[in-house]
Amino acid sequence: MAQTLTSSQQQITTSRRTFSPIVLAITLTLIGAGSFSLYHWARDLHRFIQGISGYTALFIGQLAIYLLACFFATRKLTPTTRNLNLLLASIVLIFAAMFRFDLVAQKPYLSTDVYRYVWDGRVQAAGINPYLYAPSAPELAALRDDKIYPFINRSDFVRTPYPPVAQMIFFAAYKIEASNVTGFKTLMAIFDLLAILALMLTLMRAKLSPVLAIIFAWHPLLIYEGAHTGHIDSGFIVFLALAMLAWSYQKPALTGIAIALATMVKFYPALLLPAFFYAQFSSSTIPLAKASLIKKLNVALLNKANLKMLTAFVVTVILVYLPYLNVGVKAFGSLSNEASEEGFIGNGSRYFLLVLVRKIMPLPTAIFLIIAAALLIWLVIKIALTNKRDVMDVVRAAVSLIGLYFFLVTPRYAWYYAWILPFLCFAPRVSWLYLTGASVLLYCLWFTPLFYPGVPIWLGLAVYAPTFGFWLWEKWQAKNA
């Protein structure tokens, strides 16, 4: 692996005034203490009579503290020792743990999804395939209680939509601590801490300071959506962090396994597989510039490392599905219902970009989906054919794919934006940090229920327009650097 600093690394490590590691340690400790005080004071969100407005104000306050911490953490440090680096990393990790474990015992406020997770674990503990029945099915009557079952959303008609590794996590959490929402949220907090450790190790291998993991570790989005609300996203983000670590050690099989496990928690991390491809062009392949696209793909992708990665990915997916295939196609959950209910098909109201286009001209949903798919395929091919010299190239590729996905699909739930955060530790970007912070505004949909599953024009512009503007500014800055 190349050990020289890339332009992105140089931007992170040399473009700012020198800062003392001791001063940084004291500064982060003070900021972390202030942030923890706010988390602790407001930990029970149910007590705010302002409801979601109170949460939004609280989130913005935490976000401001977080951004201040990131500002100092991304300063260039004077020459430091291994012990000082360990001290800084410990401060980031300790406060990350404090934030999360102060919230895990609180009743979920932002979503009731965690009750479905616990229910699926209970169903499996009873020896029943979770893909077989909706919670309201008479066959599951004996499993119902007044602690978990009443809070399951869409319990009357939706079989579980979660892939096999998510189901395994549900089952493991239930076996550790049965019928306990707090236990499940504790597991999500532990996954976050493991992801932080993996990110710190990968940062050090990339010749970057491990303190940059603060961009992931202290972000209030994942803290509230994971430790407080219990969303399963922490369960696949940890595998993405491990995939980056495995890639940094040039372990393609382990990388493929990690990406497959992430995909089997929620399906969309499969999009990132091309970002980890080893597109190995050398001087002997220069004539490929005039070759066909098929030949370029063959040379770039069909090398030993990529074949190992792809084989490991496919085999892992098959193996984790095997325990659930006794119910046939039902093992793929309620995917068709999810696609319809969430607006992926039909009138396309969930796609904010399509809604904007329709203000100018009529455009069928099918045509929009074809154009969106073509754009994603184009970017996937471009990234697959790009040489990956170091983990920074992987990060840039992953951020590009996730960013295009965000703009095309425009998720309407805040927690869907958290999976870009591990990659921002290596390449901080104002545009994507704004988007992860502005995602809290999507909770304003609680006040506009008739827009489900879409987003009002004013709200979409508040979330996406500044993000796009910052992205264009960053591109201009990079071009003129």
Side-chain angles (χ1 to χ4, degrees):
M1 177 183 297
Q3 297 297 323
T4 57
L5 292 180
T6 66
S7 59
S8 295
Q9 289 170 298
Q10 290 169 351
Q11 182 181 355
I12 294 172
T13 59
T14 66
S15 63
R16 301 178 176 95
R17 294 180 61 184
T18 300
F19 207 65
S20 164
I22 296 296
V23 173
L24 179 59
I26 296 171
T27 302
L28 291 182
T29 299
L30 293 174
I31 294 174
S35 186
F36 176 75
S37 297
L38 187 54
Y39 278 119
H40 184 73
W41 172 78
R43 61 191 183 279
D44 181 12
L45 298 177
H46 287 269
R47 69 184 178 89
F48 288 103
I49 59 174
Q50 304 92 341
I52 199 63
S53 299
Y55 167 69
T56 303
L58 173 65
F59 183 96
I60 292 173
Q62 286 288 13
L63 185 67
I65 297 173
Y66 159 80
L67 291 174
L68 182 64
C70 290
F71 173 81
F72 288 108
T74 54
R75 301 303 90 187
K76 179 189 174 185
L77 296 180
T78 54
T80 184
T81 64
R82 182 176 180 180
N83 287 339
L84 283 175
N85 271 329
L86 181 61
L87 172 64
L88 290 170
S90 298
I91 291 171
V92 171
L93 187 62
I94 289 170
F95 277 109
M98 290 172 61
F99 300 157
R100 286 164 172 82
F101 288 114
D102 195 46
L103 298 180
V104 291
Q106 305 305 312
K107 183 180 179 181
Y109 175 73
L110 301 170
S111 167
T112 59
D113 286 356
V114 68
Y115 293 97
R116 165 72 81 159
Y117 308 157
V118 175
W119 174 263
D120 282 359
R122 177 186 295 175
V123 170
Q124 292 178 84
I128 302 171
N129 193 314
Y131 296 109
L132 195 55
Y133 306 112
S136 62
E139 291 84 354
L140 302 181
L143 301 180
R144 294 174 197 145
D145 63 355
D146 59 359
K147 182 180 178 182
I148 300 298
Y149 178 75
F151 300 100
I152 301 173
N153 55 55
R154 302 175 299 168
S155 63
D156 56 338
F157 65 95
V158 177
R159 291 180 292 109
T160 184
Y162 300 101
V165 173
Q167 295 297 335
M168 294 174 182
I169 293 172
F170 303 158
F171 177 67
Y174 191 88
K175 296 298 288 185
I176 294 171
E177 195 164 359
S179 300
N180 192 304
V181 167
T182 298
F184 187 88
K185 294 198 295 175
T186 299
L187 182 59
M188 293 303 100
I190 292 172
F191 280 158
D192 280 351
L193 298 181
L194 291 175
I196 294 167
L197 288 172
L199 290 171
M200 286 179 171
L201 291 173
T202 311
L203 283 163
M204 289 188 289
R205 288 190 57 76
K207 306 299 183 183
L208 296 172
S209 170
V211 78
L212 289 171
I214 199 172
I215 294 172
F216 171 85
W218 288 17
H219 200 301
L221 174 62
L222 194 58
I223 293 170
Y224 279 119
E225 299 293 355
H228 196 287
T229 304
H231 282 121
I232 189 61
D233 298 67
S234 297
F236 79 79
I237 290 175
V238 66
F239 291 121
L240 291 180
L242 290 172
M244 281 193 284
L245 181 60
W247 197 97
S248 74
Y249 279 97
Q250 301 289 286
K251 302 292 184 182
L254 291 177
T255 302
I257 291 171
I259 300 172
L261 292 175
T263 301
M264 291 293 98
V265 175
K266 282 195 170 180
F267 291 113
Y268 46 82
L271 176 68
L272 298 187
L273 190 59
F276 290 84
F277 283 166
Y278 301 85
Q280 298 171 342
F281 291 108
S282 64
S283 58
S284 63
T285 60
I286 289 177
L288 282 176
K290 298 181 179 180
S292 67
L293 177 61
I294 298 299
K295 186 167 184 179
K296 288 180 180 179
L297 287 171
N298 284 337
V299 172
L301 305 182
L302 297 184
N303 54 63
K304 186 176 180 181
N306 286 338
L307 289 175
K308 282 184 178 180
M309 188 188 305
L310 289 169
T311 301
F313 180 90
V314 172
V315 170
T316 302
V317 169
I318 293 172
L319 289 177
V320 298
Y321 256 115
L322 284 179
Y324 300 96
L325 289 178
N326 62 310
V327 296
V329 295
K330 286 185 176 181
F332 297 98
S334 56
L335 293 181
S336 60
N337 178 80
E338 289 290 304
S340 176
E341 185 175 331
E342 294 299 327
F344 287 104
I345 56 178
N347 65 11
S349 60
R350 69 155 296 123
Y351 303 110
F352 181 69
L353 184 58
L354 176 58
V355 172
L356 284 182
V357 171
R358 283 175 173 169
K359 293 293 181 180
I360 303 172
M361 57 176 285
L363 183 67
T365 303
I367 300 300
F368 173 80
L369 292 176
I370 291 171
I371 295 172
L375 285 171
L376 279 172
I377 291 171
W378 166 79
L379 185 58
V380 162
I381 292 174
K382 179 181 177 181
I383 284 173
L385 290 173
T386 301
N387 282 322
K388 313 297 192 310
R389 299 162 297 172
D390 52 33
V391 75
M392 295 298 296
D393 288 332
V394 174
V395 165
R396 280 190 290 269
V399 169
S400 296
L401 285 167
I402 297 173
L404 182 59
Y405 171 84
F406 283 161
F407 272 115
L408 293 176
V409 179
T410 54
R412 66 183 304 275
Y413 300 116
W415 58 92
Y416 279 73
Y417 294 89
W419 65 304
I420 199 172
L421 290 174
F423 303 99
L424 297 184
C425 297
F426 299 81
R429 294 291 181 268
V430 173
S431 52
W432 303 123
L433 283 175
Y434 174 84
L435 181 60
T436 57
S439 65
V440 72
L441 298 178
L442 293 171
Y443 280 108
C444 292
L445 288 170
W446 285 25
F447 306 123
T448 56
L450 295 179
F451 276 92
Y452 185 87
V455 173
I457 294 293
W458 69 268
L459 179 55
L461 290 176
V463 173
Y464 298 110
T467 301
F468 188 63
F470 282 129
W471 181 79
L472 289 176
W473 174 73
E474 288 166 342
K475 287 292 183 182
W476 181 83
Q477 290 278 81
K479 184 177 180 180
N480 292 278

